[in-house]
Amino acid sequence: VFVTGGVASSLGKGIIAASLAKLLQARGLSVTIQKFDPYLNIDPGTLNPYEHGECYVTEDGAETDLDLGHYERFLGLYMSKENNVTTGKVYNTVITKEREGAYLGKTVQIVPHITDEIKRRMMLTGKTGKYDIIITEVGGTVGDMESQPFLEAIRQLQWELPEEDLMCIHLTLVPYLAAAKELKTKPTQHSVQTLQQSGVHPDVIVCRTEKELTPDLRRKMALFCNVKPGHVIQSIDAWSIYEVPFNMMEEGLDAMVCEHLGLETKEPDLSGLKSFLKKLKNPTKEVNIALVGKYVELQDAYKSIQESFIHASAATGCKVNVISVHSEHLEEGNAEAKLGNMDGILVAPGFGERGLEGKIVAVRYARTKNIPFFGICLGLQMAVVEIARDVLGWKDAASTEVNPITTHPVIDLMEEQKSSRIKGGTMRLGAYDCRLKAGSLAHKIYGKELISERHRHRYEFNYYCQADMERAGLFVTGKNPQTGLAEIMEMPSHPFFIGVQFHPEYKSTPEHPQPIFVAFVDAAIKYKENHA
């Protein structure tokens, strides 16, 4: 099942793909999703979040598009490096094969060589036989030059495969013009015409809209876009992305797919998701939590963290107001104004020097005011720097990422990273084990001794200062059993002060919220109650 988009980006192809997959999974089918992105980067690992939003990391260490996070959260399944393909990966494979002599005597061209490689990757996941249905989302919009090889590959597959084995769903925008007080269908018509000019014919059109589509508008679009009556459906704005599967079920999208593909299934059971939404909509408490980072004005930059708070909200029965605090604008003089009414402070991950001093200010405020603190990756590292400077008096304490000549390199480049000259895909990536210290806060939170979490970093806590850090009250309570790498650090004298080198947000789902986020929200609730 292919999901394409037109008119505008950010319409929610990933959410539609994930919602359809959830419905088909709830019918008892085995489903996976893959994302094909048209940009030339090998992966989004070196892209600025302003360019592409969050870089999501899978269990096997692939740096991928943030939509794979939605796929995992909706399906409760782990994605892998095979689930995200870029034009860069495709061209890299074809050019490498050309250099090795695979095409001797042939002129290497977009058609057939690039399109053959795209088709091979589109069909690769299905060769395992593990899945009844594979949903393939194509990034960008149909009018983009970069998307043409992907559309050509779909056209060829529509020609090569039996009609009942392949289906195309096209997502478009039906804008509401306030001045005219009406919805306009022309952008959808043009979008579908552009898709059809590429030789791809949609079986279902999903219309992203703010207002209800009338039966007349649906019939009009079905007629002009050459799809079956009833196969024009709406995706209306929802209160939560987790309501979209229910909206799509009401529109009959999953039933259309099953009918087209000739699949006999049971009715979908979404009781788990329904229970989650009921809790989410009926909180009995409310807290404010500061998200301190340098990309906070961009909602997709910390997408997994935002979603983890939503999952923790339902688990605790508490509405979590995530307040964005730009670390570049945070300093000692305005810390009280920006953080004074917070019930918890999370210092976000990131790279580079910009905004670091503001993160250190946030750590100091949380530590000295006994506000619940949670640091992720760089957030943990800045907690180490802050305590080294303020408690131990090492005024030039820093990470060697930003100060290579500091006399107190409390955060340093990982040993295996020192010889690496290539930036893309060379960090410590993917899932690694962590052994928790008995009786620690982390051990109480997880309720077990050995855990596994995902990583994305180059720098780590420098063990030369461990004894000094313990003297200052900060202890290593989680270590990688193979390397001894510090994974978790805590301050037992503080009501709730924990930093982690990994990214716990990547594994949180609505039905299995991440334990540290739940414990952090609980700590924020207690803090608010104690300061009421």
Side-chain angles (χ1 to χ4, degrees), residues 278-295:
K278 184 177 179 181
K279 293 175 189 172
L280 190 63
K281 288 182 176 180
N282 297 284
T284 57
K285 300 174 280 279
E286 186 172 353
V287 293
N288 294 328
I289 290 179
L291 173 59
V292 183
K294 64 179 178 179
Y295 304 115

Side-chain angles (χ1 to χ4, degrees), residues 58 68 86-87 170 218-219 317 334 337 380 420 456 503 526 528:
T58 59
L68 269 76
T86 66
T87 297
H170 189 57
R218 295 184 191 226
R219 275 194 299 272
N334 62 16
L380 160 67
S420 178
R456 184 175 185 249
H503 287 260
K526 291 189 183 76
K528 184 175 182 178

Side-chain angles (χ1 to χ4, degrees), residues 343 524-532:
D343 306 305
I525 294 167
K526 291 189 183 76
Y527 176 84
K528 184 175 182 178
E529 289 170 350
N530 292 337
H531 291 79

Side-chain angles (χ1 to χ4, degrees), residues 329-349:
H329 305 149
L330 185 62
E331 51 194 35
E332 293 290 352
N334 62 16
E336 182 65 35
K338 290 182 179 288
L339 302 174
N341 66 339
M342 299 298 163
D343 306 305
I345 295 172
L346 184 148
V347 176

Side-chain angles (χ1 to χ4, degrees), residues 47-214:
L47 285 174
N48 189 309
Y50 288 117
E51 290 269 343
H52 200 72
E54 172 186 82
C55 175
Y56 190 78
V57 177
T58 59
E59 284 282 293
D60 61 355
E63 292 175 291
T64 71
D65 183 79
L66 61 82
D67 276 322
L68 269 76
H70 290 311
Y71 304 164
E72 289 200 349
R73 287 187 282 270
F74 274 69
L75 290 179
L77 299 175
Y78 290 156
M79 300 291 120
S80 73
K81 58 188 176 185
E82 278 81 29
N83 293 82
N84 193 200
V85 177
T86 66
T87 297
K89 285 182 180 175
V90 171
Y91 272 76
N92 191 48
T93 300
V94 171
I95 291 168
T96 300
K97 286 171 71 175
E98 187 274 331
R99 292 288 82 189
E100 291 171 349
Y103 309 119
L104 283 178
K106 299 287 186 184
T107 303
V108 180
Q109 296 174 289
I110 305 294
V111 181
H113 302 99
I114 296 298
T115 51
D116 280 353
E117 177 60 20
I118 291 171
K119 287 191 294 180
R120 184 188 74 81
R121 287 175 177 264
M122 284 177 169
M123 303 295 284
L124 194 61
T125 314
K127 289 199 184 325
T128 63
K130 289 196 303 184
Y131 304 107
D132 299 311
I133 294 180
I134 297 163
I135 298 173
T136 302
E137 178 195 347
V138 178
T141 59
V142 293
D144 299 340
M145 185 184 297
E146 298 93 334
S147 298
Q148 293 312 303
F150 293 102
L151 297 178
E152 171 59 19
I154 296 172
R155 183 196 71 78
Q156 291 179 23
L157 287 174
Q158 278 190 324
W159 178 67
E160 292 169 9
L161 296 176
E163 188 178 343
E164 65 274 11
D165 282 353
L166 186 145
M167 188 173 187
C168 183
I169 296 167
H170 189 57
L171 176 66
T172 72
L173 177 68
V174 178
Y176 177 76
L177 296 186
K181 292 186 173 57
E182 62 179 345
L183 292 162
K184 305 303 285 186
T185 66
K186 196 63 76 176
T188 292
Q189 293 177 49
H190 286 311
S191 176
V192 173
Q193 285 169 11
T194 303
L195 183 63
Q196 290 171 335
Q197 284 165 8
S198 299
V200 178
H201 303 283
D203 299 292
V204 178
I205 298 169
V206 180
C207 300
R208 188 82 162 81
T209 176
E210 299 172 40
K211 309 276 186 182
E212 293 279 344
L213 293 180
T214 65

Side-chain angles (χ1 to χ4, degrees), residues 336-397:
E336 182 65 35
K338 290 182 179 288
L339 302 174
N341 66 339
M342 299 298 163
D343 306 305
I345 295 172
L346 184 148
V347 176
F351 298 92
E353 187 172 6
R354 186 169 67 88
L356 283 192
E357 293 303 318
K359 290 185 176 183
I360 291 168
V361 168
V363 174
R364 183 173 301 124
Y365 192 87
R367 179 178 63 82
T368 57
K369 303 285 187 182
N370 283 331
I371 300 171
F373 168 80
F374 182 16
I376 298 177
C377 198
L378 186 64
L380 160 67
Q381 296 175 7
M382 289 307 99
V384 172
V385 171
E386 191 281 322
I387 289 167
R389 288 182 186 178
D390 206 51
V391 181
L392 295 174
W394 299 347
K395 296 305 178 187
D396 75 332

